[in-house]
Amino acid sequence: MGSSSSSWCVFLVVFLGLVAAGLGQDQDRDEEPGLVMNFYKDSCPQAEDIITEQVKLLYKRHKNTAFSWLRNIFHDCAVQSCDASLLLDTTRRTLSEKETDRSFGLRNFRYLDTIKEAVERECPEVVSCADILVLSARDGIVALGGPYIPLKTGRRDGRRSRSVVVEQYLPDHNESISSVLEKFGAMGIDTPGVVALLGAHSVGRTHCVKLVQRLYPEVDPALNPDHVPHMLKKCPDSIPDPKAVQYVRNDRGTPMKLDNNYYRNILDSKGLLLVDHQLAHDPLTRPFVKKMAKNQDYFFKEFSRAITILSENNPLTGSKGEIRKQCNVANKHH
């Protein structure tokens, strides 16, 4: 009796173990894969090539599209989720994120629609706007002379605007460095990562609306006096018309190149925005600014790491969200 009961116990343990293992496998099967490299390799093998090709074509025609692709990834992924909520138009119920104060100067959204249309022709309703937004940023960075950053795909699109929380998540140009570090830190981006992300200010331009407080009524004494006449010439009004095309290039030396010139400029007190100036002079960030000013490879390494973390911020995957047919409107659910 003793031996048969003990063998019965062994059998039971093994049996339960197998059942548990089987259940575990079922659970694994139910678990969504999340983001992966080359998510569309079976469902739309041409997807990434089409996006890259479109970004190149659009960049040839309109050089400033690349700045837009880069800015989009910040403005979408930093606000709760990388889910293309940024692209949704205003509806009767909700304001678009595009219309918020933080999004001032964002443009070229129609060209994202051009990319989406090209992808839809090949594979209707397969590739998300969220992935198109992220991959166009990846390819825009390359167009600007920056590093190629391999990014995962498999994001799905959100159904609602996040305009009410934009200001909680996206730092403003005149916030303290500790506040900027805290907001990006909540996404898992550390101090050198934040310093590298702000290196995106090495391309594009800043609208006068965002920098007149450093020029009027008194010129900020922290500004390099050699740089002030150019800024005053570009921004002659203390209250600029937000609709007027009045802006200063972020980096007069290499305005179309994503490079480490930005760090040399801000160390020389030529940063346009208050946040640029603080980045170079705050003891938390200054050591990294100096290192990036000396070493472009280090800047690119930290920039790539930070963009990767940003692009993977709380995405919708598996069965969450949807694949929008048009990037500016959520699908109609009957």
Side-chain angles (χ1 to χ4, degrees):
M1 175 68 190
S3 75
S4 69
S5 69
S6 64
S7 59
W8 167 246
C9 286
V10 170
F11 167 75
L12 202 59
V13 168
V14 171
F15 176 73
L16 289 173
L18 289 169
V19 168
L23 285 174
Q25 278 176 335
D26 285 346
Q27 279 171 329
D28 288 347
R29 243 173 258 140
D30 291 344
E31 264 180 33
E32 291 152 357
L35 300 182
V36 292
M37 283 296 173
N38 209 356
F39 178 83
Y40 299 104
K41 66 177 187 295
D42 299 324
S43 57
C44 186
Q46 298 300 311
E48 294 204 20
D49 290 341
I50 293 169
I51 294 166
T52 301
E53 192 54 35
Q54 286 293 320
V55 166
K56 282 181 184 163
L57 283 171
L58 288 162
Y59 180 69
K60 255 191 198 139
R61 267 180 252 150
H62 319 277
K63 291 281 186 275
N64 62 20
T65 51
F67 313 144
S68 301
W69 309 144
L70 183 50
R71 228 184 130 188
N72 286 344
I73 197 171
F74 289 105
H75 283 257
D76 186 55
C77 295
V79 182
Q80 288 184 321
S81 171
C82 221
D83 66 349
S85 60
L86 171 70
L87 306 178
L88 292 169
D89 287 343
T90 294
T91 64
R92 281 199 308 269
R93 287 201 201 99
T94 57
L95 180 73
S96 168
E97 290 171 42
K98 294 181 278 194
E99 310 287 329
T100 62
D101 181 52
R102 287 285 196 279
S103 301
F104 179 81
L106 280 179
R107 58 213 170 103
N108 289 326
F109 292 111
R110 66 185 180 282
Y111 297 130
L112 262 184
D113 298 335
T114 307
I115 300 175
K116 172 70 169 167
E117 283 157 19
V119 174
E120 287 294 299
R121 283 195 293 274
E122 177 75 19
C123 313
E125 295 172 54
V126 173
V127 181
S128 68
C129 297
D131 278 339
I132 290 172
L133 182 148
V134 164
L135 295 179
S136 62
R138 178 194 71 183
D139 296 336
I141 288 164
V142 173
L144 293 166
Y148 175 83
I149 309 167
L151 296 176
K152 294 176 178 175
T153 38
R155 294 165 198 77
R156 288 166 66 85
D157 299 322
R159 295 196 181 103
R160 60 188 177 83
S161 160
R162 299 178 187 273
S163 57
V164 289
V165 294
V166 161
E167 303 212 346
Q168 274 170 252
Y169 290 90
L170 268 185
D172 206 4
H173 61 94
N174 52 8
E175 272 182 47
S176 70
I177 284 297
S178 54
S179 165
V180 174
L181 291 175
E182 193 183 318
K183 284 181 176 170
F184 281 109
M187 285 180 269
I189 298 172
D190 60 11
T191 303
V194 174
V195 174
L197 284 180
L198 279 163
H201 289 174
S202 96
V203 292
R205 57 200 196 174
T206 296
H207 199 289
C208 293
V209 164
K210 296 288 182 192
L211 53 89
V212 283
Q213 74 279 14
R214 298 195 72 197
L215 297 173
Y216 304 96
E218 301 289 322
V219 171
D220 181 347
L223 276 168
N224 184 322
D226 296 343
H227 204 46
V228 171
H230 173 72
M231 290 171 73
L232 287 169
K233 184 178 164 208
K234 291 288 188 180
C235 301
D237 307 311
S238 61
I239 304 172
D241 173 2
K243 292 196 172 61
V245 188
Q246 289 184 316
Y247 60 85
V248 183
R249 290 212 175 273
N250 287 337
D251 172 2
R252 287 172 71 194
T254 54
M256 303 299 291
K257 264 190 82 127
L258 183 70
D259 58 18
N260 64 339
N261 214 23
Y262 164 75
Y263 300 103
R264 291 196 281 272
N265 284 339
I266 63 175
L267 287 168
D268 198 17
S269 297
K270 290 178 181 169
L272 300 181
L273 298 171
L274 207 53
V275 72
D276 301 325
H277 179 74
Q278 290 175 342
L279 195 72
H281 296 90
D282 189 291
L284 289 170
T285 48
R286 184 174 171 84
F288 300 108
V289 170
K290 288 167 87 169
K291 194 169 172 185
M292 287 177 199
K294 282 199 191 86
N295 185 335
Q296 181 151 292
D297 289 342
Y298 173 66
F299 161 46
F300 280 175
K301 180 174 80 83
E302 290 298 335
F303 184 77
S304 302
R305 198 170 58 87
I307 288 283
T308 303
I309 295 168
L310 186 65
S311 75
E312 295 177 10
N313 184 33
N314 196 24
L316 303 176
T317 56
S319 55
K320 296 188 189 102
E322 63 184 19
I323 304 294
R324 273 181 228 152
K325 292 180 185 140
Q326 278 178 274
C327 289
N328 62 331
V329 285
N331 295 342
K332 288 188 171 51
H333 293 279
H334 301 295

